[in-house]
Amino acid sequence: MAPKLVISVAFLISVSLAVQFGADAAGIAIYWGQNGNEGTLEETCATGNYEFVNLAFLPTFGNGQTPMINLAGHCDPYTNGCTGLSSDIKSCQAKGVKVILSIGGGAGSYYLTSKEDARQVATYLWNNFLGGSSSSRPLGDAVLDGIDFDIEGGTNLHWDDLARYLSAYSKQGKKVYLTAAPQCPFPDAWVGGALKTGLFDNVWVQFYNNPPCQYSSGDLSNLENAWKQWISDIPATKIFLGLPAAPAAAGSGFIPVADLTSKVLPAIKGSPKYGGVMLWSKYYDDQTKYSSSIKSSV
């Protein structure tokens, strides 16, 4: 009778592994916040298309500046007009969507001048957006799931310090997810050093606006070579393929749905670190329905 018991245990182990990996299935991350005509945050999460929503952006911080969010036409942070997003954030989280604050962006005033500066920024983010407390939380009392490093300017200094300080807050209860959106040329000029800390959960690499490492009309080689370098050299939990959701969303790098599903994804999905696809942005995704078209293939 003993062999049957062994089979049963092996079966149970395989089932439990399947459940674990199923819960960690690939998904789509989206950036929301830079166009007032892209629907509400609650509507974004209600589509069921996204596992992660990055709130774009907190473009002003560091060097003693008063941090300030900019969510374009959605709300006015200068009049506390963004606190109403708290209920939207909670609605998203109730659906299992992780809501993350993206700091930086393509246009902003941000850089860290010292390790102490990084510590102060981390403290501010913890108290105003994460699990800490402050009388002036810009998005109300909702507790965001983490911080996204979309660093595209300033300097490349002390982002590793900021990651360490933020990661340490995970010890105070709810995990603080750390994500980043580097450019596909390796290593990234801004956060390449920070990514080496191994503290980042998801890295959505921007495979656009960078012709040397992006897909172009049938030619996979540049993208595939860059992808292999990212998955082998960066100690992150998951690497995502970052793409524009429409041709107009970026200067270059848009991949037609048919090419993505039949050529690109089959070439990269075999990697254990493959996490899914990141799209810029919700506004453009609304125009093309890109996420709906690729969801079953991701």
Side-chain angles (χ1 to χ4, degrees):
M1 297 298 287
K4 285 188 179 175
L5 179 62
V6 172
I7 290 167
S8 301
V9 170
F11 176 73
L12 288 172
I13 290 172
S14 69
V15 168
S16 100
L17 284 172
V19 169
Q20 285 175 36
F21 286 114
D24 197 25
I28 299 174
I30 195 82
Y31 279 83
W32 176 93
Q34 283 304 291
N35 192 303
N37 299 313
E38 62 192 344
T40 67
L41 180 58
E42 183 175 17
E43 290 164 352
T44 297
C45 295
T47 63
N49 285 353
Y50 316 115
E51 306 293 322
F52 301 90
V53 177
N54 295 312
L55 306 183
F57 288 107
L58 180 85
T60 304
F61 64 89
N63 191 32
Q65 300 176 93
T66 301
M68 183 59 69
I69 56 168
N70 176 344
L71 297 176
H74 290 287
C75 56
D76 179 7
Y78 290 93
T79 59
N80 283 334
C82 300
T83 54
L85 283 172
S86 198
S87 59
D88 286 36
I89 293 165
K90 291 172 184 174
S91 167
C92 291
Q93 292 169 330
K95 293 179 173 69
V97 179
K98 299 261 186 300
V99 185
I100 295 169
L101 176 67
S102 186
I103 65 172
S109 168
Y110 56 84
Y111 58 100
L112 300 173
T113 56
S114 63
K115 190 170 182 177
E116 173 60 19
D117 193 17
R119 189 189 67 77
Q120 289 178 10
V121 170
T123 302
Y124 172 83
L125 292 170
W126 170 254
N127 286 331
N128 287 277
F129 295 101
L130 300 168
S133 59
S134 161
S135 59
S136 58
R137 288 174 70 93
L139 302 178
D141 64 355
V143 176
L144 296 181
D145 293 291
I147 302 295
D148 175 56
F149 289 46
D150 184 16
I151 307 304
E152 302 183 38
T155 80
N156 62 0
L157 303 175
H158 304 297
W159 301 114
D160 55 339
D161 294 320
L162 182 60
R164 289 186 191 98
Y165 286 124
L166 287 169
S167 179
Y169 282 116
S170 288
K171 299 183 180 116
Q172 298 195 24
K174 182 177 174 179
K175 174 177 168 59
V176 176
Y177 281 83
L178 293 184
T179 67
Q183 311 288 312
C184 60
F186 189 92
D188 181 72
W190 307 108
V191 293
L195 292 174
K196 289 179 182 170
T197 61
L199 296 173
F200 286 81
D201 297 285
N202 298 328
V203 177
W204 9 84
V205 184
Q206 297 184 41
F207 281 88
Y208 53 94
N209 293 336
N210 288 292
C213 49
Q214 69 195 30
Y215 175 85
S216 63
S217 57
D219 183 5
L220 259 177
S221 56
N222 288 350
L223 182 147
E224 205 170 3
N225 289 338
W227 175 266
K228 284 174 181 170
Q229 187 156 30
W230 279 99
I231 60 170
S232 61
D233 291 359
I234 290 299
T237 310
K238 294 291 180 186
I239 306 285
F240 284 62
L241 179 70
L243 298 173
S252 63
F254 176 76
I255 303 179
V257 169
D259 287 14
L260 183 73
T261 55
S262 71
K263 297 174 185 170
V264 180
L265 289 180
I268 66 173
K269 279 175 72 172
S271 158
K273 281 190 183 175
Y274 168 78
V277 173
M278 174 275 277
L279 296 176
W280 175 269
S281 64
K282 173 60 166 50
Y283 171 76
Y284 292 105
D285 195 26
D286 285 349
Q287 316 301 310
T288 60
K289 305 293 186 281
Y290 197 83
S291 64
S292 298
S293 304
I294 68 169
K295 192 174 192 304
S296 61
S297 301
V298 169

